[in-house]
């Protein structure tokens, strides 16, 4: 492994990168976090010094070189300080989603043999306290907030661990920075546990080199990111997409990271922070698309006509300029006029400074993606996995194809197995699964990582992901049907918020649908439907007739074997809390089936399916 990961990234480790960035951009804002109604900001020098103090505290607390240390927290400044403090002290950080239960956290803590656990506050601490008897090796819990703990599980604050009232002596600083220079590219930086939707979570081992090279070649592939950028961070830092694209990439360039309060306050926080760059998953763009069209639907006839004309011109402009790479001529002038009249007003609702998004984690419907480009908020869709740090492919302004996940990053090789599975070789591929040589060996094929995704690669190198290999539906008639494209198409209907398609080993496909509540309530008011709660509304005869019409409209664009023969309408959306979504809003297909099995089974018991 090279001593420097990349010609344009002269760093051996993430802590070394932070040290140099803090020297170059000492007074620039590094991290912001909202507390008690206002934002607290650390500049790069302050952030770096807090990292050194945390490393000092960890070594005093008994942390050894090579130790794994857990971070059980939502995004906040303390998360970043702990993460870099752990690595600076010679260890590897092991993140746990803040939404995990105590039992789920205990599994990870025990598997990685962590003796020290950082928590965000009382809520995560109480989860650990509830499973204290399962955590015999845990010696120290460090909280980002102050509260009284239990004698069974003593807790200290991050400030106490870091001894913030005692500035670093010159000798302490020199010694810690000497340790930073000894961190090699192949040293373990983090162990990220997969969500475990197909069994026990697996610990993905990513080196300093894996993460640094992915951040470096990723932002080079995109281009245009600079120290003046402001990143709004709302995806969990426990997820590798946010970790690399919205965290390491920003810190590498000296940009400013502002943490959203929660996934539910993103649109509000966008107005406050006025970011230039956001990393997201498809659900955000689906909601943006839906809300804009909902607003247009409620506007005057003249405004609706203006909007739809603007979108038509915008589609033609985007296709000619970015897809065909042709001169836009007079079309450019038309687009600028409609942009000023329509799209600039939409962008103003996102703070006015937002330039672009990165999207990953799940397929983004190409209609939604194209719309975002049309309104001047381009979404760069990419593809990757935890095991690949994560980016493997990415669209950019020079190489764009809606419906694809872009072209390979520099140094990344791709090929397809006989069954269409995407195989990956490159500098971002993991070191292996923690304490699991057997699974590591099974994931590799003569040096190629087996992604588990079925894909196609065209003659220009654009990659299109068909679906997860294990999630493709095989009907009783032997038809192989990827469900995600069907679900994405269903969600484009103005009345449908979410969709889950099922049909494995069955004679026909069925779907679970969740309604767009705004449209549903509007319908109920317009047609004076009687109901006390949404549970009643989704069983109303008129509502069911409407959704039958919407599904039949969808079926007209599908071959017969891909049509939805029956559906059930659910009163609430799939959610993280309900166990149906991962922390990054991906569907847990097995869990959705288990939770709603009775309703799905009923769809195959009643009449009306294929004979």
């Amino acid at each position: 492994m090279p001593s420097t990961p990349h010609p344009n990234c002269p760093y051996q480790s993430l802590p070394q990168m932070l040290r140099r960035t803090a020297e170059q951009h000492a007074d620039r804002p590094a991290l912001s976090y909202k507390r008690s109604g206002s934002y607290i900001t650390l500049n790069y020098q302050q952030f770096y010094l807090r990292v050194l103090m945390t490393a000092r505290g960890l070594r005093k607390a008994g942390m050894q070189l090579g130790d794994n240390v857990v971070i059980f927290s939502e995004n906040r400044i303390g998360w970043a300080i702990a993460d870099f403090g752990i690595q600076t002290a010679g260890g590897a950080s092991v993140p746990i989603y803040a939404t995990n239960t105590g039992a789920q956290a205990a599994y990870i803590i025990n598997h990685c043999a962590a003796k020290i656990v950082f928590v965000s506050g009382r809520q995560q601490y109480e989860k650990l306290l509830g499973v204290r008897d399962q955590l015999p090796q845990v010696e120290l819990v460090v909280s980002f907030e102050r509260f009284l703990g239990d004698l069974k599980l003593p807790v200290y604050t991050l400030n106490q661990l870091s001894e913030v009232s005692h500035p670093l002596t010159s000798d302490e600083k020199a010694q810690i920075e000497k340790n930073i220079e000894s961190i090699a590219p192949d040293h373990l930086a983090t162990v990220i546990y997969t969500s475990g939707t197909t069994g026990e979570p697996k610990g993905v081992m990513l080196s300093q080199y894996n993460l640094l090279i992915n951040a470096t070649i990723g932002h080079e592939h995109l281009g245009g990111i600079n120290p003046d950028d402001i990143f709004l961070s709302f995806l969990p830092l426990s997820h590798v997409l946010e970790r690399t694209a919205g965290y390491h990439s920003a810190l590498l360039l000296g940009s400013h990271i502002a943490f959203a309060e929660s996934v539910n306050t993103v649109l509000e926080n966008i107005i406050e922070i006025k970011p230039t760059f956001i990393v997201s998953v498809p659900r955000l763009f689906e909601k943006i698309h839906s809300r804009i069209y909902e607003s247009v639907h409620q506007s005057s006839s003249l405004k609706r006509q203006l909007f739809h004309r603007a979108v038509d011109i915008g589609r033609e402009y985007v296709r000619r300029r970015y897809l065909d790479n042709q001169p836009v001529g007079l079309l450019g002038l038309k687009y600028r006029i409609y942009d000023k009249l329509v799209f600039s007003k939409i962008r103003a609702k996102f703070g006015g400074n937002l330039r672009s998004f990165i999207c990953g984690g799940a397929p983004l419907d190409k209609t939604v993606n194209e719309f975002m480009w049309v309104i001047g908020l381009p979404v760069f869709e990419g593809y990757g996995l935890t095991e690949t740090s994560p980016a493997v492919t990415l669209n950019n302004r020079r190489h764009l194809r809606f419906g694809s996940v872009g072209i390979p990053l520099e140094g990344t090789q791709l090929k397809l197995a006989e069954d269409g599975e995407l195989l990956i070789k490159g500098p971002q591929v993991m070191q292996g699964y923690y304490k699991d040589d057997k699974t590591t060996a099974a994931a590799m094929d003569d040096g190629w990582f087996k992604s588990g995704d079925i894909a196609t690669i065209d003659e220009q190198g654009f990659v299109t992901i068909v679906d997860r290999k294990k999630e493709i539906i095989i009907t009783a008639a032997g038809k192989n049907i990827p469900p995600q494209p069907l679900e994405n198409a269903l969600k484009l209907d103005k009345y449908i918020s979410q969709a889950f398609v099922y049909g494995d080993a069955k004679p026909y496909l069925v779907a679970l649908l969740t309604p767009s509540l705004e449209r549903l309530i509007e319908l109920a008011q317009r047609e004076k439907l009687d109901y006390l709660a949404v549970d009643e509304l989704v069983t109303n005869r008129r509502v069911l007739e409407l959704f039958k019409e919407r599904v039949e409209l969808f079926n007209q664009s599908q071959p017969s074997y891909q049509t939805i023969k029956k559906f059930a309408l659910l009163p609430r959306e799939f959610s993280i809390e309900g166990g149906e979504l991962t922390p990054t809003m991906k569907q847990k297909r097995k869990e959705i089936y288990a939770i709603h099995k009775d309703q799905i089974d009923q769809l195959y018991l009643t009449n009306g399916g294929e004979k």
Side-chain angles (χ1 to χ4, degrees), residues 561-578:
Y561 65 89
Q562 286 191 180
T563 56
I564 306 299
K565 298 299 187 290
K566 300 183 195 175
F567 67 90
L569 198 57
L570 305 181
R572 66 168 182 84
E573 288 194 337
F574 303 135
S575 66
I576 298 170
E577 296 75 17

Side-chain angles (χ1 to χ4, degrees), residues 183-461:
I183 301 173
D186 62 351
H187 282 182
L188 187 62
T190 190
V191 181
I192 300 179
Y193 281 78
T194 59
S195 58
T197 58
T198 57
E200 293 290 3
K202 300 187 292 289
V204 177
M205 297 188 294
L206 299 177
S207 69
Q208 297 286 339
Y209 176 71
N210 289 145
L211 296 172
L212 269 171
I213 188 100
N214 207 237
T216 301
I217 62 179
H219 79 68
E220 285 182 352
H221 185 91
L222 280 183
I225 305 174
N226 58 68
D228 293 325
D229 275 309
I230 303 173
F231 286 65
L232 176 65
S233 173
F234 77 93
L235 292 183
L237 282 168
S238 305
H239 190 273
V240 71
L241 173 61
E242 182 67 29
R243 187 92 165 267
T244 296
Y247 175 64
H248 293 147
S249 290
L251 297 174
L252 182 67
L253 296 168
S255 302
H256 180 191
I257 302 171
F259 295 116
E261 294 171 90
S262 74
V263 68
N264 298 318
T265 62
V266 170
L267 295 180
E268 174 188 325
N269 296 147
I270 286 175
I271 300 298
E272 298 169 337
I273 293 165
K274 303 185 188 314
T276 60
F277 205 85
I278 298 176
V279 179
S280 185
V281 290
R283 189 67 183 137
L284 175 65
F285 309 116
E286 292 164 1
K287 286 188 174 183
I288 290 172
H289 180 268
S290 176
R291 286 194 182 189
I292 291 173
Y293 272 92
E294 181 68 30
S295 177
V296 171
H297 172 73
Q298 296 173 353
S299 63
S300 68
S301 174
L302 184 61
K303 287 186 176 179
R304 287 200 300 272
Q305 291 178 31
L306 178 64
F307 173 81
H308 291 302
R309 177 58 179 161
V311 170
D312 288 343
I313 293 294
R315 284 200 186 102
E316 188 180 351
Y317 172 80
V318 167
R319 287 171 183 168
R320 188 180 298 180
R321 179 175 179 182
Y322 296 111
L323 299 181
D324 300 334
N325 294 309
Q326 297 294 322
V328 293
L330 184 60
L331 179 62
L333 176 60
K334 289 182 181 180
Y335 178 77
R336 286 194 295 274
I337 292 171
Y338 281 106
D339 183 70
K340 185 173 181 61
L341 292 173
V342 180
F343 303 140
S344 64
K345 294 177 175 60
I346 294 174
R347 293 196 299 274
K349 295 178 181 180
F350 296 89
N353 295 328
L354 193 54
R355 294 205 319 272
S356 55
F357 296 88
I358 281 183
C359 178
L364 174 63
D365 185 87
K366 62 182 179 181
T367 301
V368 174
N369 195 353
E370 182 184 53
F371 176 75
M372 296 299 295
W373 279 76
V374 165
I375 65 174
L377 295 175
V379 176
F380 301 108
E381 187 177 9
Y383 165 78
L385 306 101
T386 305
E387 290 88 342
T388 57
S389 307
V392 173
T393 66
L394 190 62
N395 280 283
N396 60 36
R397 293 181 190 274
R398 302 174 307 282
H399 303 92
L400 177 65
R401 183 76 56 81
F402 298 128
S404 87
V405 291
I407 61 174
L409 298 185
E410 179 188 346
T412 302
Q413 301 176 60
L414 303 177
K415 69 177 182 179
L416 299 177
E418 289 185 5
D419 62 358
E421 182 178 5
L422 185 66
L423 306 182
I424 305 161
K425 183 182 288 187
Q428 69 272 61
V429 174
M430 65 172 181
Q431 292 183 325
Y433 294 112
Y434 191 70
K435 294 180 180 176
D436 199 342
D437 293 341
K438 182 178 179 181
T439 303
T440 299
M444 305 301 293
D445 181 7
D446 192 27
W448 293 82
F449 174 70
K450 297 188 286 187
S451 70
D453 287 305
I454 301 299
T456 62
I457 305 174
D458 71 13
E459 65 282 355
Q460 293 179 301

Side-chain angles (χ1 to χ4, degrees), residues 24-38:
Q24 295 168 12
H25 304 286
D27 297 325
R28 295 184 68 89
L31 306 170
S32 294
Y33 173 69
K34 192 173 184 180
R35 188 169 69 188
S36 303
S38 60

Side-chain angles (χ1 to χ4, degrees), residues 49 105 139 155 180 186 256 260 344 391 471 483 523:
L49 289 175
E139 300 173 357
V155 58
I180 286 175
D186 62 351
H256 180 191
S344 64
E471 292 175 357
L523 172 76

Side-chain angles (χ1 to χ4, degrees), residues 534-585:
V534 176
D535 298 63
E536 288 187 23
L537 196 53
V538 297
T539 61
N540 183 279
R541 182 177 178 180
R542 173 67 187 102
V543 171
L544 292 174
E545 286 176 353
L546 171 69
F547 275 82
K548 184 178 180 182
E549 293 169 4
R550 310 310 295 185
V551 171
E552 287 176 350
L553 184 63
F554 160 82
N555 284 340
Q556 291 175 14
S557 63
Q558 301 296 324
S560 60
Y561 65 89
Q562 286 191 180
T563 56
I564 306 299
K565 298 299 187 290
K566 300 183 195 175
F567 67 90
L569 198 57
L570 305 181
R572 66 168 182 84
E573 288 194 337
F574 303 135
S575 66
I576 298 170
E577 296 75 17
E580 298 125 325
L581 301 180
T582 70
T584 51
M585 312 301 284

